Coordinates of all heavy atoms in Angstrom, one line a residue:
M1404 N 94.3 68.4 118.1 CA 95.3 67.6 118.6 C 96.6 68.3 118.9 O 97.0 68.9 117.9 CB 95.4 66.3 117.6 CG 96.5 65.4 118.1 SD 96.5 64.0 116.9 CE 98.3 63.7 117.0
E1405 N 97.1 68.2 120.1 CA 98.4 68.9 120.3 C 99.5 68.0 119.8 O 99.5 66.8 119.8 CB 98.5 69.0 122.0 CG 99.6 69.9 122.3 CD 99.5 70.2 123.7 OE1 98.5 70.3 124.3 OE2 100.6 70.3 124.4
K1406 N 100.3 68.9 119.2 CA 101.5 68.2 118.6 C 102.6 67.9 119.8 O 102.6 68.4 120.8 CB 102.2 69.1 117.7 CG 101.4 69.4 116.5 CD 102.2 70.3 115.6 CE 101.4 70.5 114.3 NZ 102.3 71.2 113.3
L1407 N 103.4 66.8 119.5 CA 104.5 66.5 120.3 C 105.7 67.2 120.0 O 105.9 67.6 118.9 CB 104.8 64.9 120.1 CG 103.7 64.0 120.2 CD1 104.2 62.6 119.9 CD2 103.3 63.9 121.8
L1408 N 106.5 67.6 121.1 CA 107.7 68.5 121.0 C 108.8 67.6 120.8 O 109.1 66.6 121.5 CB 107.9 69.3 122.2 CG 108.9 70.4 122.1 CD1 108.3 71.4 121.0 CD2 108.8 71.2 123.5
K1409 N 109.5 68.0 119.8 CA 110.8 67.1 119.4 C 111.9 68.2 119.2 O 111.7 69.5 118.8 CB 110.8 66.4 118.1 CG 110.0 65.2 118.2 CD 110.7 63.9 118.0 CE 109.8 62.8 118.1 NZ 110.3 61.7 119.0
S1410 N 113.1 67.8 119.4 CA 114.3 68.8 119.1 C 114.5 68.8 117.6 O 114.1 67.9 116.9 CB 115.5 68.4 119.9 OG 116.1 67.2 119.3
A1411 N 115.2 69.8 117.2 CA 115.7 69.8 115.7 C 116.5 68.5 115.4 O 116.4 68.0 114.4 CB 116.4 71.1 115.3
D1412 N 117.3 68.2 116.4 CA 118.2 67.0 116.2 C 117.4 65.8 116.1 O 117.7 64.9 115.2 CB 119.3 66.8 117.4 CG 120.4 67.9 117.3 OD1 120.7 68.3 116.2 OD2 120.8 68.2 118.4
E1413 N 116.3 65.5 116.9 CA 115.5 64.4 116.8 C 114.8 64.4 115.5 O 114.7 63.2 114.8 CB 114.4 64.4 117.9 CG 115.1 64.1 119.3 CD 114.2 64.3 120.4 OE1 113.4 65.3 120.4 OE2 114.1 63.5 121.3
L1414 N 114.3 65.5 115.0 CA 113.5 65.5 113.8 C 114.6 65.2 112.7 O 114.1 64.6 111.7 CB 112.8 66.9 113.6 CG 111.5 67.0 114.3 CD1 110.9 68.4 114.1 CD2 110.5 66.0 113.7
H1415 N 115.7 65.8 112.8 CA 116.7 65.6 111.6 C 117.0 64.1 111.6 O 117.0 63.5 110.5 CB 117.9 66.3 112.0 CG 119.1 66.3 111.0 ND1 120.2 65.5 111.2 CD2 119.0 66.8 109.8 CE1 121.0 65.7 110.1 NE2 120.3 66.3 109.3
S1416 N 117.2 63.3 112.7 CA 117.4 62.0 112.6 C 116.2 61.3 111.9 O 116.5 60.3 111.2 CB 117.5 61.4 114.1 OG 118.8 61.9 114.6
L1417 N 114.9 61.5 112.3 CA 113.9 60.9 111.6 C 113.9 61.2 110.1 O 113.6 60.2 109.4 CB 112.6 61.4 112.2 CG 112.3 61.2 113.6 CD1 111.0 61.9 114.1 CD2 112.0 59.7 113.8
I1418 N 114.2 62.2 109.7 CA 114.2 62.5 108.2 C 115.5 61.9 107.5 O 115.3 61.4 106.5 CB 114.3 64.2 108.0 CG1 112.9 64.8 108.6 CG2 114.4 64.5 106.6 CD1 112.9 66.3 108.8
V1419 N 116.6 61.8 108.1 CA 117.7 61.2 107.6 C 117.4 59.8 107.4 O 117.6 59.1 106.4 CB 118.9 61.5 108.5 CG1 120.1 60.4 108.0 CG2 119.5 62.9 108.4
A1420 N 116.8 59.2 108.5 CA 116.3 57.8 108.3 C 115.3 57.5 107.1 O 115.4 56.5 106.4 CB 115.5 57.3 109.5
L1421 N 114.5 58.5 106.8 CA 113.6 58.4 105.7 C 114.5 58.2 104.3 O 114.2 57.5 103.5 CB 112.6 59.4 105.5 CG 111.6 59.6 106.6 CD1 110.8 60.8 106.4 CD2 110.6 58.3 106.5
V1422 N 115.5 59.2 104.3 CA 116.4 59.3 103.1 C 117.2 58.1 103.0 O 117.3 57.4 101.8 CB 117.2 60.4 103.1 CG1 118.2 60.5 102.0 CG2 116.4 61.8 103.1
R1423 N 117.7 57.5 104.1 CA 118.5 56.4 104.1 C 117.8 55.1 103.7 O 118.5 54.0 103.3 CB 119.2 56.1 105.4 CG 120.1 57.2 105.7 CD 121.3 57.3 104.8 NE 121.9 58.6 104.9 CZ 122.0 59.5 103.9 NH1 121.3 59.4 102.8 NH2 122.6 60.6 104.0
R1424 N 116.5 55.2 103.5 CA 115.9 53.8 103.0 C 116.2 53.6 101.5 O 116.0 52.6 101.1 CB 114.4 54.0 103.2 CG 113.9 53.9 104.7 CD 112.5 54.0 104.7 NE 111.9 55.1 103.9 CZ 110.7 55.5 103.9 NH1 109.8 55.0 104.4 NH2 110.4 56.5 103.0
Y1425 N 116.7 54.7 101.0 CA 116.9 54.6 99.4 C 118.4 54.8 99.2 O 119.1 55.8 99.2 CB 116.3 55.8 98.8 CG 114.8 55.8 98.9 CD1 114.2 56.7 99.9 CD2 114.0 55.0 98.2 CE1 112.8 56.7 100.1 CE2 112.4 55.1 98.5 CZ 111.9 55.9 99.3 OH 110.8 56.0 99.6
S1426 N 119.1 53.6 99.1 CA 120.6 53.4 98.9 C 121.1 54.4 97.8 O 122.2 54.7 97.9 CB 120.8 52.0 98.9 OG 120.4 51.4 97.7
E1427 N 120.2 54.4 96.8 CA 120.7 55.1 95.6 C 121.0 56.7 95.9 O 121.5 57.3 95.0 CB 119.9 54.9 94.4 CG 118.4 55.4 94.6 CD 117.4 54.5 95.1 OE1 117.8 53.7 96.0 OE2 116.3 54.6 94.7
Y1428 N 120.5 57.1 97.0 CA 120.7 58.5 97.3 C 121.6 58.7 98.6 O 121.4 59.6 99.5 CB 119.2 59.1 97.7 CG 118.3 59.0 96.4 CD1 117.2 58.3 96.6 CD2 118.7 59.6 95.2 CE1 116.3 58.2 95.4 CE2 118.0 59.4 94.2 CZ 116.7 58.7 94.3 OH 115.9 58.5 93.1
S1429 N 122.5 57.8 98.8 CA 123.4 57.9 100.0 C 124.2 59.2 100.1 O 124.7 59.4 101.1 CB 124.3 56.7 99.9 OG 125.2 56.7 98.7
S1430 N 124.5 59.8 98.9 CA 125.1 61.1 99.0 C 124.2 62.3 99.3 O 124.6 63.4 99.5 CB 125.8 61.4 97.7 OG 124.8 61.5 96.7
V1431 N 122.9 62.1 99.6 CA 121.9 63.2 99.9 C 121.8 63.3 101.4 O 121.6 62.2 102.0 CB 120.6 62.9 99.3 CG1 119.5 63.9 99.8 CG2 120.6 63.0 97.7
I1432 N 122.2 64.4 101.9 CA 121.9 64.8 103.3 C 121.0 66.0 103.5 O 121.3 67.1 103.1 CB 123.3 65.1 104.0 CG1 124.3 63.9 103.7 CG2 123.1 65.3 105.4 CD1 125.8 64.3 104.1
P1433 N 119.9 65.8 104.3 CA 119.1 67.0 104.6 C 119.7 67.5 105.7 O 120.3 67.0 106.7 CB 117.7 66.3 105.1 CG 118.1 65.0 105.5 CD 119.3 64.5 104.7
N1434 N 119.6 69.0 105.7 CA 120.2 69.7 106.8 C 119.0 69.8 107.9 O 117.9 69.5 107.7 CB 120.6 71.1 106.5 CG 121.8 71.2 105.5 OD1 122.7 70.3 105.6 ND2 121.9 72.1 104.6
K1435 N 119.5 70.2 109.1 CA 118.5 70.3 110.2 C 117.3 71.0 109.9 O 117.4 72.2 109.3 CB 119.2 70.8 111.4 CG 120.1 69.7 112.2 CD 120.5 70.3 113.4 CE 121.6 69.5 114.1 NZ 122.1 70.0 115.3
P1436 N 116.1 70.6 110.5 CA 114.9 71.6 110.3 C 115.1 72.8 111.1 O 115.9 72.9 112.2 CB 113.8 70.7 110.9 CG 114.4 69.5 111.4 CD 115.9 69.4 111.1
Y1437 N 114.5 73.9 110.7 CA 114.7 75.2 111.4 C 113.2 75.6 111.8 O 112.2 75.3 111.4 CB 115.2 76.2 110.4 CG 114.3 76.7 109.4 CD1 113.5 77.7 109.4 CD2 114.3 75.9 108.1 CE1 112.6 78.1 108.4 CE2 113.4 76.1 107.1 CZ 112.5 77.3 107.2 OH 111.8 77.6 106.2
W1438 N 113.2 76.3 113.0 CA 112.1 76.8 113.7 C 111.6 78.1 112.9 O 112.4 78.9 112.5 CB 112.4 77.1 115.1 CG 111.1 77.7 115.8 CD1 110.1 77.1 116.5 CD2 110.8 79.1 115.8 NE1 109.3 77.8 117.0 CE2 109.6 79.1 116.7 CE3 111.3 80.2 115.5 CZ2 108.9 80.2 116.9 CZ3 110.6 81.5 115.7 CH2 109.5 81.4 116.4
H1439 N 110.3 78.3 112.9 CA 109.7 79.6 112.4 C 108.3 79.7 113.0 O 107.8 78.8 113.6 CB 109.7 79.6 110.8 CG 108.8 78.5 110.2 ND1 107.4 78.4 110.4 CD2 109.2 77.5 109.5 CE1 107.0 77.4 109.7 NE2 108.1 76.6 109.2
E1440 N 107.8 80.9 112.9 CA 106.4 81.1 113.4 C 105.5 80.1 112.7 O 105.8 79.7 111.6 CB 105.9 82.5 113.1 CG 106.7 83.5 113.8 CD 106.5 83.4 115.4 OE1 105.4 83.1 115.9 OE2 107.4 83.9 116.2
R1441 N 104.4 79.7 113.3 CA 103.5 78.8 112.7 C 103.0 79.3 111.3 O 102.8 80.5 111.2 CB 102.2 78.6 113.6 CG 102.5 77.8 114.9 CD 101.3 77.2 115.4 NE 101.7 76.6 116.7 CZ 102.3 75.4 116.9 NH1 102.5 74.8 115.7 NH2 102.7 74.9 117.9
D1442 N 103.0 78.4 110.4 CA 102.5 78.7 109.1 C 101.0 78.4 109.0 O 100.4 77.9 109.8 CB 103.4 77.9 108.0 CG 103.4 76.4 108.1 OD1 102.4 75.9 108.7 OD2 104.3 75.8 107.7
S1443 N 100.5 78.5 107.8 CA 99.0 78.3 107.5 C 98.6 76.9 107.9 O 97.4 76.6 107.9 CB 98.7 78.8 106.0 OG 99.4 77.9 105.2
N1444 N 99.6 75.9 107.8 CA 99.3 74.6 108.1 C 99.4 74.2 109.7 O 99.4 73.1 110.1 CB 100.2 73.5 107.4 CG 99.9 73.6 105.9 OD1 98.8 73.7 105.5 ND2 101.0 73.8 105.1
G1445 N 99.8 75.2 110.4 CA 100.0 75.0 111.9 C 101.3 74.5 112.3 O 101.5 74.0 113.3
C1446 N 102.2 74.5 111.3 CA 103.5 73.8 111.6 C 104.6 75.0 111.9 O 104.6 75.9 111.3 CB 104.0 73.0 110.5 SG 105.6 72.1 110.8
N1447 N 105.5 74.7 112.8 CA 106.5 75.7 113.2 C 107.9 75.3 112.9 O 108.9 75.8 113.3 CB 106.4 76.1 114.7 CG 107.0 74.9 115.6 OD1 107.4 73.7 115.1 ND2 107.3 75.3 116.9
W1448 N 108.0 74.4 112.0 CA 109.4 74.1 111.4 C 109.3 73.7 110.0 O 108.2 73.4 109.5 CB 110.0 73.0 112.3 CG 109.3 71.6 112.2 CD1 108.3 71.2 112.9 CD2 109.5 70.5 111.2 NE1 107.9 70.0 112.6 CE2 108.6 69.6 111.5 CE3 110.4 70.3 110.1 CZ2 108.5 68.3 110.8 CZ3 110.4 69.1 109.5 CH2 109.4 68.1 109.8
D1449 N 110.5 73.7 109.4 CA 110.5 73.3 107.9 C 112.0 72.9 107.6 O 113.0 73.1 108.3 CB 110.0 74.5 107.0 CG 109.4 73.9 105.7 OD1 109.6 72.8 105.4 OD2 108.8 74.8 105.1
L1450 N 112.1 72.4 106.4 CA 113.5 72.1 105.8 C 113.8 73.0 104.7 O 112.8 73.2 103.9 CB 113.4 70.6 105.2 CG 113.2 69.6 106.2 CD1 113.0 68.2 105.5 CD2 114.3 69.4 107.2
N1451 N 114.9 73.5 104.5 CA 115.1 74.3 103.3 C 116.4 74.2 102.7 O 116.7 74.7 101.6 CB 115.0 75.9 103.6 CG 116.3 76.3 104.6 OD1 116.9 75.6 105.1 ND2 116.3 77.6 104.7
S1452 N 117.2 73.3 103.2 CA 118.5 73.0 102.5 C 119.0 71.5 102.6 O 118.6 70.9 103.6 CB 119.6 73.9 102.9 OG 119.8 73.8 104.4
W1453 N 119.5 71.1 101.5 CA 120.0 69.7 101.4 C 121.4 69.8 100.8 O 121.7 70.8 100.0 CB 119.1 69.0 100.4 CG 117.7 68.8 100.9 CD1 116.8 69.8 100.9 CD2 117.1 67.6 101.4 NE1 115.5 69.4 101.4 CE2 115.7 68.0 101.7 CE3 117.5 66.4 101.6 CZ2 114.9 67.1 102.1 CZ3 116.6 65.4 102.0 CH2 115.3 65.7 102.4
T1454 N 122.1 68.7 101.0 CA 123.5 68.6 100.5 C 123.4 67.3 99.6 O 122.9 66.3 100.0 CB 124.6 68.4 101.6 OG1 124.5 69.5 102.4 CG2 126.0 68.2 101.0
G1455 N 124.0 67.4 98.4 CA 124.1 66.3 97.4 C 123.8 66.7 96.0 O 123.4 67.9 95.9
P1456 N 123.9 65.9 95.2 CA 123.7 66.1 93.7 C 122.2 66.7 93.5 O 121.3 66.0 94.0 CB 123.9 64.8 93.0 CG 124.8 64.1 93.8 CD 124.4 64.4 95.2
R1457 N 122.0 67.7 92.8 CA 120.7 68.4 92.7 C 119.6 67.3 92.3 O 118.5 67.3 92.8 CB 121.0 69.5 91.6 CG 119.5 70.2 91.6 CD 119.8 71.5 90.5 NE 118.6 72.3 90.6 CZ 117.5 72.2 89.9 NH1 117.5 71.3 89.1 NH2 116.6 73.2 89.9
E1458 N 119.9 66.6 91.2 CA 119.0 65.7 90.7 C 118.5 64.6 91.8 O 117.3 64.3 91.8 CB 119.4 65.0 89.5 CG 119.7 65.9 88.3 CD 121.1 66.6 88.4 OE1 121.9 66.2 89.2 OE2 121.3 67.6 87.8
D1459 N 119.6 64.1 92.5 CA 119.3 63.1 93.5 C 118.3 63.8 94.7 O 117.5 63.2 95.3 CB 120.5 62.5 94.3 CG 121.2 61.7 93.2 OD1 120.6 61.4 92.2 OD2 122.4 61.3 93.5
V1460 N 118.7 65.0 95.1 CA 118.0 65.7 96.1 C 116.6 65.9 95.7 O 115.6 65.6 96.4 CB 118.5 67.1 96.5 CG1 117.6 68.0 97.3 CG2 119.9 67.0 97.2
I1461 N 116.3 66.3 94.4 CA 115.0 66.4 93.9 C 114.2 65.1 94.0 O 113.0 65.0 94.4 CB 114.9 67.1 92.6 CG1 115.5 68.5 92.6 CG2 113.6 66.9 91.7 CD1 115.7 69.0 91.2
A1462 N 114.9 64.1 93.7 CA 114.2 62.7 93.6 C 114.0 62.2 95.0 O 112.8 61.8 95.1 CB 115.2 61.7 92.7
V1463 N 114.8 62.3 95.8 CA 114.4 61.8 97.2 C 113.4 62.7 97.9 O 112.6 62.1 98.6 CB 115.8 61.5 98.0 CG1 116.2 62.8 98.5 CG2 115.5 60.5 99.0
V1464 N 113.4 63.9 97.6 CA 112.4 64.8 98.2 C 111.1 64.4 97.9 O 110.0 64.4 98.6 CB 112.7 66.4 98.0 CG1 111.5 67.3 98.3 CG2 114.0 66.8 98.8
K1465 N 111.0 64.1 96.5 CA 109.7 63.7 96.0 C 109.1 62.2 96.7 O 108.0 62.2 97.0 CB 109.7 63.4 94.5 CG 109.7 64.8 93.7 CD 109.8 64.5 92.2 CE 109.8 65.7 91.4 NZ 109.8 65.6 90.1
K1466 N 110.1 61.5 96.9 CA 109.9 60.2 97.6 C 109.4 60.3 99.0 O 108.6 59.5 99.4 CB 111.1 59.3 97.5 CG 111.3 58.8 96.0 CD 112.4 57.9 96.1 CE 112.7 57.3 94.7 NZ 111.8 56.2 94.2
I1467 N 109.9 61.3 99.7 CA 109.6 61.4 101.1 C 108.7 62.4 101.6 O 108.4 62.7 102.8 CB 110.9 61.4 102.1 CG1 111.7 62.8 101.7 CG2 111.8 60.2 101.8 CD1 112.7 63.0 102.8
T1468 N 108.2 63.2 100.6 CA 107.2 64.3 100.9 C 106.2 64.1 101.7 O 105.9 64.8 102.7 CB 106.8 65.0 99.5 OG1 108.0 65.6 98.9 CG2 105.9 66.0 99.7
E1469 N 105.4 63.0 101.4 CA 104.2 62.6 102.2 C 104.5 62.4 103.7 O 103.9 62.8 104.6 CB 103.4 61.5 101.5 CG 102.7 61.9 100.4 CD 101.7 63.0 100.6 OE1 100.9 63.1 101.6 OE2 101.7 63.9 99.7
E1470 N 105.7 61.6 103.9 CA 106.2 61.3 105.2 C 106.6 62.5 106.0 O 106.3 62.5 107.1 CB 107.2 60.3 105.1 CG 106.6 58.9 104.6 CD 107.7 58.0 104.1 OE1 108.5 58.4 103.1 OE2 107.8 56.8 104.6
V1471 N 107.2 63.4 105.3 CA 107.6 64.8 106.0 C 106.4 65.5 106.3 O 106.3 66.1 107.4 CB 108.6 65.5 105.1 CG1 108.9 67.0 105.7 CG2 110.0 64.7 105.0
R1472 N 105.4 65.5 105.5 CA 104.2 66.2 105.7 C 103.5 65.7 107.0 O 103.0 66.4 107.8 CB 103.3 66.1 104.5 CG 102.0 66.9 104.7 CD 101.2 67.0 103.3 NE 102.0 67.8 102.3 CZ 102.1 67.4 101.1 NH1 101.4 66.4 100.6 NH2 102.8 68.0 100.2
Y1473 N 103.6 64.3 107.2 CA 103.1 63.6 108.3 C 103.8 64.1 109.5 O 103.1 64.4 110.7 CB 103.1 62.1 108.2 CG 102.9 61.4 109.5 CD1 101.5 61.1 110.0 CD2 103.8 60.9 110.2 CE1 101.3 60.6 111.1 CE2 103.7 60.3 111.4 CZ 102.3 60.1 111.9 OH 102.2 59.4 113.0
L1474 N 105.2 64.1 109.5 CA 106.0 64.6 110.6 C 105.7 66.1 110.9 O 105.5 66.4 112.2 CB 107.5 64.6 110.3 CG 108.0 63.1 110.1 CD1 109.5 63.0 109.7 CD2 107.8 62.2 111.3
R1475 N 105.4 66.9 109.9 CA 105.1 68.3 110.1 C 103.8 68.4 110.9 O 103.6 69.4 111.7 CB 105.0 69.2 108.9 CG 106.5 69.3 108.3 CD 106.4 70.0 107.0 NE 105.6 71.0 106.8 CZ 105.6 72.4 107.2 NH1 106.7 72.8 107.6 NH2 104.6 73.3 106.9
G1476 N 102.9 67.4 110.7 CA 101.5 67.5 111.4 C 101.6 66.9 112.7 O 100.6 67.3 113.6
K1477 N 102.6 66.1 113.0 CA 102.6 65.5 114.3 C 103.5 66.2 115.3 O 103.3 66.1 116.5 CB 103.2 64.0 114.1 CG 103.1 63.2 115.3 CD 103.5 61.8 115.0 CE 103.4 60.9 116.4 NZ 103.5 59.6 116.2
Y1478 N 104.6 66.8 114.8 CA 105.7 67.4 115.8 C 105.9 68.9 115.6 O 105.8 69.4 114.4 CB 107.0 66.7 115.5 CG 107.0 65.1 115.6 CD1 107.2 64.2 114.7 CD2 106.8 64.6 117.0 CE1 107.1 62.9 114.9 CE2 106.7 63.2 117.2 CZ 106.9 62.4 116.2 OH 106.9 61.0 116.3
D1479 N 106.1 69.5 116.6 CA 106.7 70.9 116.8 C 108.2 70.8 117.2 O 108.6 69.9 117.9 CB 105.9 71.8 117.7 CG 104.6 72.4 117.1 OD1 104.4 72.4 115.9 OD2 103.8 72.7 117.9
I1480 N 108.8 71.8 117.0 CA 110.2 71.9 117.6 C 110.2 73.2 118.6 O 109.4 74.2 118.3 CB 111.4 72.1 116.7 CG1 111.3 73.2 115.6 CG2 111.5 70.9 115.9 CD1 112.5 73.4 114.7
A1481 N 110.9 73.2 119.6 CA 111.0 74.3 120.6 C 111.5 75.5 119.8 O 112.5 75.5 119.0 CB 111.9 73.9 121.7
S1482 N 111.1 76.7 120.2 CA 111.6 77.9 119.7 C 113.1 78.1 120.1 O 113.3 77.9 121.2 CB 110.7 79.1 120.0 OG 110.6 79.3 121.4
P1483 N 114.0 78.7 119.2 CA 115.2 79.0 119.6 C 115.3 80.0 120.9 O 114.5 80.9 120.9 CB 116.0 79.4 118.4 CG 114.9 79.8 117.6 CD 113.6 79.1 117.9
G1484 N 116.3 79.9 121.6 CA 116.4 80.9 122.7 C 115.8 80.7 123.8 O 115.5 80.7 124.8

């Protein structure tokens, strides 16, 4: 199955929306996804940095991991440049 192409901004909006479902983590902000060569899962983007209290970041990442995994399987981002 071919993946749909989204911009980093579009993916960022989807991920922020996942986080915002949990009002207790309102201070947590995921940074934009970044492009990389395809990994072993066939995905060309990932998240590596978050802003907010460490404990809250860890908690919300656990809550949205499966949904982010789904997004990684469905969407690619355009390579920079």
Side-chain angles (χ1 to χ4, degrees):
M1404 181 176 145
E1405 190 170 323
K1406 293 183 179 185
L1407 301 172
L1408 193 62
K1409 291 247 185 230
S1410 70
D1412 288 332
E1413 289 172 315
L1414 281 172
H1415 183 247
S1416 293
L1417 291 173
I1418 296 163
V1419 168
L1421 294 175
V1422 173
R1423 293 295 164 253
R1424 291 183 312 184
Y1425 303 98
S1426 60
E1427 65 269 33
Y1428 303 118
S1429 61
S1430 63
V1431 174
I1432 303 167
N1434 291 334
K1435 283 186 190 176
Y1437 68 93
W1438 179 90
H1439 58 71
E1440 294 292 333
R1441 290 201 187 282
D1442 58 24
S1443 61
N1444 294 317
C1446 186
N1447 77 348
W1448 63 272
D1449 212 340
L1450 300 170
N1451 70 344
S1452 59
W1453 296 72
T1454 302
R1457 184 177 190 275
E1458 298 79 19
D1459 289 352
V1460 169
I1461 290 168
V1463 80
V1464 166
K1465 285 180 183 179
K1466 289 182 179 282
I1467 68 168
T1468 294
E1469 287 303 315
E1470 291 158 309
V1471 171
R1472 190 172 290 140
Y1473 170 79
L1474 295 175
R1475 285 176 41 86
K1477 185 173 182 175
Y1478 301 113
D1479 275 342
I1480 59 175
S1482 63

